[in-house]
Amino acid sequence: MIDVVNLVKKYSGVEAVKGISFQVARGEIVGFLGPNGAGKSTTMRMLTGYLPASTGSIKISGLDLAEDSLKIRSKIGYMPENVPLYPEMRVREYLHYRASLKGVKNRIIKSRVADVMQRCGVADVSNKIIGALSKGYRQRVGLADALVHDPELLILDEPTAGLDPNQIRTVRDLIKDLGKSHTILLSTHILSEVEAVCGRAIIIHRGKIEASDTLENLRKKVQSGIVHIEVKAAESDALPKLKAIKKLSDAAVTSKEGDWVHYSCTAAPGEDITEAVDSLVKENHWPLREFRREKATMEDVFVELTQD
């Protein structure tokens, strides 16, 4: 669906995007992640035709953006981070207007607008002036705008910004549902959101792609997690034995309570030490009060790949 090759964007001679290449298959929900200033929003604006690329190529649905810009835009629903709305218009009026601009046939505009208002949770404010709405409602109007022409590809930049937890959950469910019939490129700083809805993530840092893989594979590249145990075993006896485990990155005492000692064992990147720690506890007959495995999260992945 999306094929980006050696994409570059320069501002006054400075490269904001440095020759990136990636693909998004039809029907995928892909998270596009990166710290502030990484080139994330610039890339999304180039994908939607809002900004021209300095060099490189973008193909969407087999069409070259440089040659078929208008045709490609009709296939894209774009929701920028700061949604540009007409504050003096009413919600229903605005969505009717946007649908007509996007080429929706007159005979189905009314039904399309009613459908997207219901799906995005703005039907109850359909007759209100947009300028009088909260930021959360304005975000949802922007999402309805992106959906109103039923595009093949949705590009969403921080779609849940300004929403409360209940609204965030509703939008996540909506994105999952939309993923059944649309290709979605989702940019967000809420990493739990990526874990909840995306099958794959692309991480960009300083204008370059640092990683592009399934969430599970990205977690494995950083670490397989930490095993926590609380046992009745002296530090002088247990800690050297834990540190001798193969594929272990580190082991440390994190707390003590009487004779009980809490140990934290970190696996080497891509390894799993759960069984090895379990076997060691059993072999030494250490009384056990806690055994817990903490898996690597997308936050761990993000920090590992983008920290200086």
Side-chain angles (χ1 to χ4, degrees):
M1 186 66 185
I2 301 175
D3 187 11
V4 173
V5 179
N6 294 327
L7 191 65
V8 174
K9 182 61 182 178
K10 294 181 180 179
Y11 293 105
S12 302
V14 177
E15 286 188 340
V17 176
K18 303 175 181 179
I20 65 173
S21 300
F22 64 89
Q23 291 77 39
V24 176
R26 190 176 296 275
E28 275 194 301
I29 304 178
V30 177
F32 193 55
L33 313 176
N36 292 330
K40 190 170 71 273
S41 292
T42 297
T43 301
M44 298 184 87
R45 288 170 186 158
M46 286 191 284
L47 289 175
T48 54
Y50 277 68
L51 283 177
S54 299
T55 59
S57 69
I58 298 172
K59 287 186 179 180
I60 293 177
S61 195
L63 301 173
D64 193 307
L65 185 61
E67 299 174 0
D68 296 292
S69 177
L70 291 178
K71 191 177 291 186
I72 287 176
R73 290 185 199 194
S74 70
K75 297 176 179 289
I76 296 175
Y78 176 45
M79 179 184 170
E81 182 177 358
N82 298 307
V83 185
L85 304 171
Y86 293 127
E88 70 280 3
M89 297 180 77
R90 299 183 188 277
V91 173
R92 187 187 302 274
E93 176 189 14
Y94 171 76
L95 292 174
H96 269 262
Y97 171 63
R98 293 291 292 164
S100 64
L101 283 182
K102 293 181 178 186
V104 179
K105 294 179 181 178
N106 288 333
R107 60 185 173 81
I108 63 170
I109 284 181
K110 186 176 180 180
S111 63
R112 281 298 305 159
V113 169
D115 179 55
V116 296
M117 285 197 302
Q118 187 65 42
R119 296 180 83 177
C120 297
V122 294
D124 57 333
V125 295
S126 61
N127 292 317
K128 288 192 174 182
I129 299 294
I130 291 174
L133 298 177
S134 67
K135 182 179 180 181
Y137 268 112
R138 290 198 298 272
Q139 286 291 106
R140 286 191 274 172
V141 172
L143 183 55
D145 178 10
L147 285 171
V148 74
H149 60 302
D150 195 24
E152 295 178 31
L153 171 64
L154 282 171
I155 297 180
L156 310 177
D157 195 355
E158 302 290 345
T160 57
L163 304 187
D164 65 38
N166 289 328
Q167 293 169 340
I168 288 174
R169 181 171 292 184
T170 300
V171 172
R172 283 180 184 172
D173 290 341
L174 173 59
I175 291 172
K176 283 189 208 175
D177 184 55
L178 290 170
K180 298 173 184 176
S181 55
H182 299 74
T183 303
I184 300 175
L185 186 65
L186 169 68
S187 171
T188 179
H189 284 105
I190 306 173
L191 299 178
S192 59
E193 198 164 275
V194 175
E195 293 183 300
V197 303
C198 298
R200 188 162 67 88
I202 298 168
I203 299 178
I204 185 172
H205 182 45
R206 293 182 172 176
K208 296 181 179 180
I209 300 293
E210 293 291 340
S212 177
D213 211 332
T214 64
L215 304 191
E216 188 60 32
N217 285 341
L218 286 174
R219 292 189 194 101
K220 288 179 180 178
K221 288 177 182 177
V222 176
Q223 62 177 26
S224 288
I226 302 171
V227 174
H228 299 273
I229 59 171
E230 189 174 17
V231 293
K232 192 176 285 187
E235 180 180 344
S236 59
D237 175 42
L239 194 57
K241 291 178 179 178
L242 288 168
K243 288 187 173 182
I245 292 175
K246 292 180 179 179
K247 303 176 182 178
L248 185 86
S249 172
D250 188 31
V253 174
T254 54
S255 65
K256 295 180 181 179
E257 185 182 329
D259 293 333
W260 293 95
V261 184
H262 187 283
Y263 298 91
S264 177
C265 306
T266 305
E271 302 295 346
D272 187 353
I273 58 170
T274 309
E275 290 186 13
V277 174
D278 181 50
S279 296
L280 185 66
V281 172
K282 291 174 180 176
E283 287 170 8
N284 289 272
H285 305 288
W286 294 332
L288 178 68
R289 193 160 72 173
E290 180 186 3
F291 192 106
R292 175 170 55 89
R293 183 186 177 197
E294 180 184 328
K295 289 186 177 182
T297 64
M298 280 305 297
E299 182 177 341
D300 297 321
V301 174
F302 185 87
V303 170
E304 180 74 19
L305 294 175
T306 63
Q307 68 182 351
D308 293 327

